[in-house]
Amino acid sequence: MLRTLGEFIVEKQKDFPHARGELSALLSAVRLAAKICHREINKAGLGDIMGEAGEINAQGESQKKLDVFANERFKAALEARGEVCGIASEEEDHFVIFDNELSRDGSYVVLMDPLDGSSNIDVNVSVGTIFSIYKRVTPVGSSVSMEDFLQPGRKQVAAGYVIYGSSTMLVYTTGNGVHGFTYDPSLGLFCLSHENMRTPDDGNIYSINEGNYHKFPMGVKKYIKYCQEPDASPRHPYTARYIGSLVSDFHRNLIKGGIYLYPPTAKTPKGKLRLLYECNPLAFMIEQAGGKASDGSQPVLDIQPESLHQRTPFYVGSPKMVDKVENLIQEFKEQD
Ligand code: AHM
Ligand code: MG
C-alpha cells in the first residue's frame, strides 16, 4: 500500500511521547518547498529559450538564479508556519531572524544549503537541498541568537536532503533511522520508497576530486593508492565515482556502500564543504544509517562550531572505509 510522507510523519510522531507535532509541521514545510523547487529545477533547461538568470522576463521581472530561488522558497515555507524562529543558509551572510508574532514562539532553527551543486544545473546533472534542524537554546519568545545556530551536530533533532535527480527524493532522519520518499509528480506526493535505509559496512566506491591529488595530505594520497591496488582485497581495485554534486555522490554511496572524501589542501586547510549546512546533516544521516563521518581525526558531529560558514574536511560513508582513511591520515600526518 502506498504510504505518503505526510502519513509517515504523523505515524512516526507517536515515537516521541512528548511531541506536540511541531517537528511534523516543520517537515511538512520542507516538503512543500521541495515540491516547488522540483517544479522549477525540472524546467531549468528551458532557461535558454525563455531567458537566462539575470535577464528581465516578459513580465518585467528579472529571472532568478535557481539557488536564490530555492533559498527564498525554503525560507518562505519555513517562516509561514511558526515552528521556526530563524534560519541560517549557505546563501545568506548572516542568520535570518523570523520576527513575526507566530515565529517568535517557534522552538526550532533550520540551517540549510538550499541548492547544493548548483553549477551542475547548466549541464543537467542532479542537485540537492540539504537541511538540518535544531531546538533553539535561547528561551522561546526571545529573539533568536548566534548560539542557537552554533550547536554541535550531535544536537540535531532532524536532518535530511532532497535530491533532484532522475527522480526527486526526500530522505530524512529524526534520529530513528533514515527514510526515503520518491516524488510522484502526477500525484504531487512523496511516497515511501526506502524505509530504514542502511549503508553497507564496507564498499568499493571512492568519490573524490582526484584532480587535486598532489595537494592532498599524505594519508589521503596513500588511501587513494590503496583504493587502486588490484589485490589488496577481493573488492579491489575500487571503482571511482565522482559527480561533483555532494547530495548525489552521498546518496549513491549511502545505498551502494562507498566513501566520499573532501580533504584539506595547503590552499584550503579546512577543505571546501561547510560544517553547518552540508557536513553535519549528512553526518547525522550516515550515522543513523550505520555509517561514519569524520574530519580525519574526530566524528564530524562532535565538532563545536565557531562560525556560521565554517568549513571542515569531510570523510563520510561505509564505516570500514572511513576507519581506513582515518588511520592512514593519523599514521602519515608527520609527513604533511
Ligand atoms: P557548492 O555548495 O558551492 O555547490 O559547493 C559544494 C559542491 C558539492 O556539491 C561538491 O561535492 C563539491 O562542491 C565539488 O567540489 P569540487 O568541484 O572542488 O570537486
Ligand atoms: Mg553547497
Side-chain angles (χ1 to χ4, degrees):
M1 230 247 313
L2 200 85
R3 276 158 95 198
T4 68
L5 176 57
E7 288 165 348
F8 191 83
I9 289 172
V10 171
E11 233 174 79
K12 288 289 161 191
Q13 200 180 304
K14 296 188 204 116
D15 295 348
F16 303 93
H18 305 295
R20 286 176 296 160
E22 292 172 305
L23 189 57
S24 305
L26 200 171
L27 288 168
S28 305
V30 171
R31 176 185 60 179
L32 173 64
K35 286 183 193 178
I36 296 171
C37 290
H38 159 91
R39 190 182 64 196
E40 286 311 299
I41 290 164
N42 263 259
K43 54 185 189 195
L46 292 171
D48 274 347
I49 50 176
M50 292 174 69
E52 295 276 8
E55 283 180 3
I56 307 292
N57 70 12
Q59 289 79 43
E61 304 157 327
S62 89
Q63 299 280 303
K64 292 221 164 68
K65 281 181 72 185
L66 274 171
D67 37 17
V68 178
F69 175 88
N71 188 50
E72 286 181 0
R73 286 308 161 146
F74 274 92
K75 223 166 46 174
L78 293 168
E79 187 167 14
R81 308 205 181 206
E83 286 79 22
V84 181
C85 50
I87 60 117
S89 160
E90 201 179 296
E91 288 290 322
E92 310 267 354
D93 292 337
H94 306 287
F95 62 82
V96 179
I97 303 172
F98 290 165
D99 199 15
N100 61 61
E101 227 168 278
L102 258 183
S103 308
R104 228 166 287 140
D105 290 335
S107 325
Y108 295 95
V109 292
V110 177
L111 295 90
M112 62 181 175
D113 183 353
L115 206 57
D116 183 70
S118 50
S119 61
N120 287 300
I121 287 184
D122 294 349
V123 288
N124 212 348
V125 166
S126 307
V127 290
T129 297
I130 311 173
F131 61 91
S132 167
I133 303 172
Y134 296 80
K135 273 241 176 203
R136 67 187 297 178
V137 290
T138 50
V140 168
S142 66
S143 196
V144 71
S145 81
M146 191 61 108
E147 57 185 309
D148 294 313
F149 296 96
L150 297 186
Q151 302 187 52
R154 282 275 168 236
K155 300 262 179 190
Q156 287 172 102
V157 294
Y161 57 81
V162 184
I163 175 167
Y164 310 95
S166 43
S167 300
T168 290
M169 280 189 74
L170 192 154
V171 185
Y172 81 99
T173 183
T174 52
N176 261 343
V178 176
H179 311 291
F181 299 79
T182 303
Y183 187 57
D184 181 337
S186 66
L187 298 173
L189 295 171
F190 282 100
C191 303
L192 181 63
S193 51
H194 298 66
E195 189 168 6
N196 238 329
M197 296 171 83
R198 303 294 299 169
T199 202
D201 244 19
D202 205 356
N204 70 344
I205 297 175
Y206 72 107
S207 309
I208 184 167
N209 185 343
E210 239 174 297
N212 295 326
Y213 179 85
H214 289 287
K215 302 186 207 155
F216 289 152
M218 184 54 79
V220 175
K221 288 182 181 166
K222 296 270 181 203
Y223 183 70
I224 293 173
K225 289 299 156 212
Y226 164 79
C227 293
Q228 296 168 346
E229 262 173 41
D231 304 317
S233 84
R235 292 178 185 273
H236 280 72
Y238 288 174
T239 294
R241 288 282 181 274
Y242 190 70
I243 300 171
S245 188
L246 176 60
V247 175
S248 315
D249 281 311
F250 178 89
H251 184 71
R252 181 202 50 242
N253 292 0
L254 167 68
I255 292 173
K256 294 193 166 184
I259 184 168
Y260 174 97
L261 311 93
Y262 210 110
T265 63
K267 213 171 132 203
T268 53
K270 291 279 187 184
K272 176 183 185 188
L273 301 176
R274 315 281 181 156
L275 173 63
L276 296 179
Y277 313 121
E278 294 163 326
C279 304
N280 269 341
L282 297 183
F284 186 23
M285 304 271 288
I286 204 75
E287 285 202 4
Q288 281 293 313
K292 280 186 92 165
S294 164
D295 71 352
S297 64
Q298 63 177 324
V300 166
L301 294 179
D302 291 338
I303 300 173
Q304 173 60 53
E306 281 160 12
S307 65
L308 279 182
H309 294 281
Q310 178 173 342
R311 298 172 197 267
T312 178
F314 196 40
Y315 308 94
V316 64
S318 295
K320 288 193 173 150
M321 301 176 89
V322 176
D323 285 343
K324 177 80 184 173
V325 75
E326 214 174 33
N327 289 340
L328 287 169
I329 290 169
Q330 293 311 317
E331 187 181 337
F332 290 97
K333 82 170 170 224
E334 302 305 324
Q335 297 186 28
D336 291 329

